[in-house]
């Protein structure tokens, strides 16, 4: 196993990605998105952090989080969010699939991949690049043609605050035949 060390800096802003186990489309159900949001809010109330930007896709999530000036433990927060969401799924009778002996040994379920990816943002230019990455991600994955069509994103918040134009990276030119489709229909196509 590589000798990877995470970088922890108090008060830092961090880009995070975590993925569902075997890329299962758990977030194809809007109910699961609701459970995930509850898990995030609970973790946030237990150990504060700011959510600068986020996007929820059918099988993975991206965040930009900023931590208090005296704190840097994003790993603990990611672990807590994962645990809370997993528990919420189990409570709603989420059917477990085959879990390997290794995952059983480490008390892991079939909800999340074991690890997550992080990058500590070093400057405003990087911050802007990661914001754009998050908000363009649904388009990149072929879920929608334009960022404004994806409802499970912080894009609309950033537009409302004047940081983006509503037609940023837009390909539909405001045509009405590109109305937002139901998330469940989009996610089912991704999972096929």
């Amino acid at each position: 196993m590589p000798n990877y060390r995470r970088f922890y800096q108090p008060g830092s802003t961090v880009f995070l990605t975590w993925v569902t186990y075997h890329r299962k489309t758990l977030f194809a159900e809007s109910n699961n998105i609701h459970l995930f949001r509850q898990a995030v809010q609970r973790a946030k109330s237990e150990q504060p952090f700011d959510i600068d930007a986020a996007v929820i896709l059918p099988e993975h999530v991206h965040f930009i989080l900023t931590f208090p000036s005296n704190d840097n433990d994003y790993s603990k927060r990611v672990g807590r969010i994962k645990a809370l969401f997993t528990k919420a799924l189990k409570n709603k009778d989420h059917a477990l699939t085959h879990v390997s002996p290794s995952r059983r040994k480490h008390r892991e379920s079939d909800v999340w991949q074991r690890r997550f990816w992080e990058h500590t943002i070093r400057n405003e230019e990087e911050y802007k690049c990661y914001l754009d990455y998050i908000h363009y991600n649904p388009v990149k994955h072929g879920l929608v043609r334009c960022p404004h069509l994806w409802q499970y994103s912080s894009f609309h918040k950033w537009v409302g605050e004047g940081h983006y134009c509503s037609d940023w990276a837009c390909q539909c030119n405001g045509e009405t035949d590109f109305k937002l489709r139901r998330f469940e229909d989009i996610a089912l196509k991704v999972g096929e």
Side-chain angles (χ1 to χ4, degrees):
M1 177 173 203
N3 191 12
Y4 180 77
R5 302 264 186 237
R6 295 194 186 277
F7 178 67
Y8 295 96
Q9 178 181 347
S12 60
T13 298
V14 180
F15 171 78
L16 296 157
T17 299
W18 59 95
V19 182
T20 60
Y21 186 61
H22 290 302
R23 290 201 172 260
K24 286 190 294 187
T25 56
L26 290 177
F27 300 117
E29 292 181 43
S30 55
N31 214 20
N32 288 348
I33 293 170
H34 176 71
L35 293 174
F36 180 72
R37 285 177 168 166
Q38 286 181 324
V40 170
Q41 288 307 313
R42 182 164 170 199
K44 188 176 175 186
S45 72
E46 294 171 359
Q47 281 194 295
F49 56 89
D50 291 326
I51 302 171
D52 296 3
V55 65
I56 302 172
L57 299 163
E59 79 296 334
H60 70 286
V61 297
H62 295 294
F63 280 100
I64 296 176
L65 303 180
T66 298
F67 299 95
S69 60
N70 62 343
D71 195 350
N72 63 358
D73 199 349
Y74 54 81
S75 290
K76 187 173 184 178
R77 288 168 173 92
V78 169
R80 184 67 176 144
I81 292 167
K82 284 180 168 185
L84 289 167
F85 178 68
T86 300
K87 184 177 180 182
L89 277 183
K90 285 182 180 178
N91 287 343
K92 78 166 232 191
D93 296 327
H94 171 70
L96 293 175
T97 58
H98 173 71
V99 178
S100 71
S102 172
R103 289 183 79 79
R104 259 190 248 116
K105 175 183 172 188
H106 292 97
R107 299 180 332 152
E108 296 172 333
S109 70
D110 66 340
V111 176
W112 296 106
Q113 285 185 5
R114 186 171 284 166
R115 305 204 185 280
F116 64 92
W117 191 85
E118 50 72 28
H119 173 77
T120 300
I121 296 174
R122 297 172 291 210
N123 56 46
E124 286 297 318
E125 186 178 329
E126 268 191 7
Y127 187 82
K128 173 89 171 85
C129 287
Y130 280 104
L131 273 180
D132 291 350
Y133 180 84
I134 282 175
H135 295 132
Y136 192 74
N137 214 248
V139 177
K140 174 188 166 196
H141 288 284
L143 300 170
V144 290
R145 288 190 57 193
C146 308
H148 67 90
L149 295 175
W150 192 253
Q151 69 187 60
Y152 299 107
S153 164
S154 58
F155 179 73
H156 299 287
K157 173 192 147 216
W158 283 84
V159 168
E161 293 175 357
H163 298 284
Y164 284 105
C165 296
S166 61
D167 63 351
W168 178 80
C170 184
Q171 298 177 38
C172 72
N173 298 318
E175 295 176 24
T176 57
D177 61 335
F178 293 109
K179 290 179 185 171
L180 181 63
R181 295 174 286 169
R182 286 187 26 220
F183 182 69
E184 293 84 356
D185 296 338
I186 295 167
L188 287 175
K189 290 178 184 170
V190 171
E192 291 174 350

